[in-house]
């Protein structure tokens, strides 16, 4: 029986056990501990932008805290990219605020600067200046940060960069996750590196980090007894999870190269598949970790659609997945304001995420190639270079 080919499976390096053993040997198995401190330092060194990092239980928790630090509250409005996972938008609603969704642009599939400016001006004209902007680096692809940062600065609105999918990506040589007032990282099991579950908040001041840590540890005041003047949260990363993260940081650059190698494999494969286009960097300003490799299918050229390929993969026990359904099309957000055209909608109707793990074997690549060729091409042979 063939083994399942996963969309994006964890890829451990081996040294994770060393850090976990140290935690057990020292009895640091509860939240906090040397691994948490070490993991934060490792991330700060990797990002290399004089940032401060708070290790948390999830990327969603990091975004929630970022919004709190931006003073978002009930009935406020927060601008959010529409094409993204729901975790980019849900924390807005946690706070009783209203998401305002923005269409994508065709080059990076991320927030369209023109639609962003239109939205801000229109919301201000209605007496509702947005309290924050959440931009997402979709599938590892950096957004057009110069234009978006310029607009955010023009209207004095803090930018939160959701880099949950883009650790290891850069824009004009600068690390993703370091552009906004806050950056969001995720270490879920399917990400570039994992802590099994977890995330981090990237800050540009010790004060912002200290506030995030305070809020993430139940907002306990400085007193010998348990005293609370603010609502707090149980969001801190455990020392065990951070130990996994420390081991993963040792192989992060290898994991990025592994994902980019998978993308190159698809680039070679798609060259001879008419009507199949691989989502790639629009210029040398953008360096994507290619967390997931994604194709867009032109049904007018190939007479096939993404569902034809998805079902063919499924038959061979290969996991693939449609891209994120835009938030403005989701039932839960049907009444939220939306600005832009139909770029995100059209991409959603024509695109598929392909298996992209850094641990894909040559045999698995050959299985993937065979299915794609069978669906899209009269050519019936493909061999992965060993």
């Amino acid at each position: 029986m063939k083994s399942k080919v996963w969309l994006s499976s964890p890829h451990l390096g081996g040294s994770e056990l060393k850090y976990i053993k140290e935690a057990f040997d020292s009895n640091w198995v509860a939240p906090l501990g040397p691994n948490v401190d070490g993991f934060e330092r490792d991330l700060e060194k990797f990002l290399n932008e004089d940032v401060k990092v708070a290790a948390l239980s999830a990327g969603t928790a990091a975004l929630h805290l970022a919004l709190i630090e931006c003073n978002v509250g009930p009935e406020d409005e927060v601008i959010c990219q529409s094409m993204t996972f729901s975790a980019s938008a849900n924390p807005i609603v946690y706070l009783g605020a209203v998401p305002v969704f923005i269409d994508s642009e065709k080059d990076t599939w991320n927030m369209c600067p023109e639609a962003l400016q239109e939205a801000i001006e229109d919301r201000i004209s209605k007496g509702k200046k947005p309290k924050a902007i959440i931009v997402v680096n979709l599938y590892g692809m950096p957004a057009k940060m110069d234009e978006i940062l310029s607009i955010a600065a023009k209207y004095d609105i803090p930018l939160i960069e959701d880099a949950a999918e883009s650790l290891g990506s850069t824009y004009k040589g600068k690390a993703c996750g370091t552009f906004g007032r806050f950056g969001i990282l995720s270490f879920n099991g399917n990400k570039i590196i994992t802590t099994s579950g977890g995330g981090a908040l990237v800050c540009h001041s010790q004060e912002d980090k200290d506030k995030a840590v305070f809020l993430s540890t139940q907002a306990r005041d400085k007193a010998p007894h348990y005293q609370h003047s603010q609502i707090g949260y149980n969001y801190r990363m455990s020392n065990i999870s951070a130990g996994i993260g420390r081991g993963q940081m040792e192989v992060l650059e290898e994991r990025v190269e592994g994902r980019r190698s998978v993308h190159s494999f698809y680039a070679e494969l798609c060259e001879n598949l008419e009507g199949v286009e691989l989502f790639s960097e629009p210029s040398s300003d953008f360096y994507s970790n290619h967390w997931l490799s994604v194709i867009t299918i032109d049904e007018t050229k190939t007479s096939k659609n993404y569902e034809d390929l998805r079902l063919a993969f499924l038959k061979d026990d290969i996991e693939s997945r449609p891209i994120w359904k835009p938030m403005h099309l989701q039932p839960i957000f049907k009444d939220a304001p939306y600005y832009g055209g139909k770029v995100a909608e059209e991409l959603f109707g024509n695109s598929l995420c392909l298996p992209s793990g850094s641990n894909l074997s040559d045999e698995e690549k050959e299985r993937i190639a065979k299915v794609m060729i069978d669906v899209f091409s009269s050519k019936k042979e493909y061999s992965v270079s060993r």
Side-chain angles (χ1 to χ4, degrees):
M1 180 180 290
K2 294 179 180 178
S3 60
K4 185 178 181 69
V5 178
W6 297 97
L7 183 73
S8 180
S9 62
H11 190 181
L12 300 180
S15 62
E16 296 87 359
L17 284 173
K18 175 184 70 174
Y19 294 102
I20 294 172
K21 184 176 185 301
E22 287 175 2
F24 275 93
D25 289 346
S26 61
N27 205 34
W28 279 105
V29 296
L32 306 184
N35 281 333
V36 175
D37 297 335
F39 187 40
E40 290 175 342
R41 288 194 301 270
D42 293 342
L43 287 164
E44 289 166 357
K45 182 179 179 181
F46 181 82
L47 295 171
N48 194 31
E49 292 292 336
D50 194 28
V51 293
K52 304 296 180 182
V53 173
L56 303 169
S57 58
T60 311
L63 181 52
H64 187 194
L65 296 182
L67 291 169
I68 292 172
E69 294 213 39
C70 289
N71 298 313
V72 173
E75 299 185 8
D76 286 334
E77 293 188 348
V78 175
I79 288 179
C80 182
Q81 188 165 310
S82 184
M83 188 189 287
T84 183
F85 181 47
S86 62
S88 300
N90 287 341
I92 300 170
V93 183
Y94 296 170
L95 295 167
V98 177
V100 176
F101 292 115
I102 306 296
D103 197 9
S104 298
E105 41 79 14
K106 294 181 179 180
D107 292 335
T108 72
W109 299 11
N110 293 315
M111 184 177 284
C112 174
E114 293 178 4
L116 172 62
Q117 173 130 351
E118 175 193 353
I120 293 172
E121 291 179 351
D122 189 57
R123 302 322 291 175
I124 290 175
S125 75
K126 290 177 168 61
K128 294 291 291 185
K129 180 181 176 180
K131 293 293 288 286
I133 299 167
I134 301 171
V135 63
V136 183
N137 301 316
L138 200 69
Y139 301 121
M141 186 67 69
K144 293 184 174 179
M145 295 308 305
D146 282 351
E147 293 94 324
I148 292 169
L149 283 166
S150 177
I151 293 168
K154 177 180 178 181
Y155 295 97
D156 191 27
I157 301 173
L159 182 73
I160 299 170
E161 184 191 6
D162 185 342
E165 301 172 4
S166 60
L167 180 62
S169 300
T170 62
Y171 174 72
K172 294 186 175 180
K174 184 176 179 179
C176 286
T178 66
F179 285 92
R181 178 182 171 188
F182 295 104
I184 310 301
L185 303 177
S186 172
F187 310 113
N188 193 23
N190 63 359
K191 294 301 191 293
I192 284 282
I193 61 169
T194 185
T195 58
S196 77
L201 182 66
V202 182
C203 308
H204 288 275
S205 72
Q206 188 65 47
E207 181 183 2
D208 281 346
K209 175 182 174 176
D210 289 345
K211 184 173 182 180
V213 170
F214 171 71
L215 292 171
S216 70
T217 50
Q218 299 292 15
R220 181 184 175 186
D221 294 337
K222 289 184 178 179
H225 52 278
Y226 283 86
Q227 177 167 302
H228 307 272
S229 304
Q230 299 180 55
I231 294 296
Y233 308 89
N234 185 19
Y235 280 172
R236 205 69 162 107
M237 181 178 284
S238 79
N239 198 48
I240 297 296
S241 294
I244 299 172
R246 294 211 71 185
Q248 288 274 277
M249 286 300 295
E250 294 181 6
V251 294
L252 174 53
E253 292 183 355
E254 294 176 28
R255 298 297 176 260
V256 172
E257 286 306 310
R259 300 266 176 166
R260 287 177 59 82
S261 176
V262 170
H263 184 268
S264 296
F265 153 71
Y266 285 122
E268 181 183 348
L269 178 60
C270 290
E271 278 184 1
N272 298 314
L273 300 179
E274 186 177 5
V276 180
E277 183 176 353
L278 182 66
F279 177 41
S280 301
E281 292 97 332
S283 76
S284 59
D285 288 342
F286 301 83
Y287 180 89
S288 175
N289 63 17
H290 292 301
W291 170 59
L292 291 185
S293 289
V294 189
I295 54 171
T296 301
I297 300 164
D298 187 340
E299 193 172 353
T300 64
K301 294 181 179 179
T302 184
S303 75
K304 303 289 185 180
N305 58 38
Y306 81 76
E307 187 67 356
D308 293 321
L309 179 59
R310 189 186 72 81
L311 292 174
F313 276 143
L314 190 62
K315 188 176 180 180
D316 199 44
D317 209 12
I318 297 171
E319 185 181 23
S320 62
R321 190 172 297 166
I323 65 172
W324 303 125
K325 182 177 182 179
M327 291 298 101
H328 73 278
L329 300 180
Q330 299 286 353
I332 193 66
F333 295 122
K334 61 183 175 62
D335 297 323
Y338 171 74
Y339 292 84
K342 293 185 177 295
V343 173
E345 293 180 31
E346 290 172 357
L347 288 168
F348 171 65
N350 297 301
S351 304
L352 189 71
C353 300
L354 306 177
S356 304
S358 51
N359 51 0
L360 277 181
S361 68
D362 286 344
E363 289 75 17
E364 289 171 330
K365 290 177 183 176
E366 287 175 351
R367 282 173 60 190
I368 292 165
K370 182 180 185 303
V371 172
M372 292 181 67
I373 290 168
D374 285 345
V375 170
F376 293 115
S377 175
S378 58
K379 178 182 176 183
K380 299 301 180 184
E381 294 182 3
Y382 184 87
S383 178
V384 176
S385 299
R386 286 182 167 83

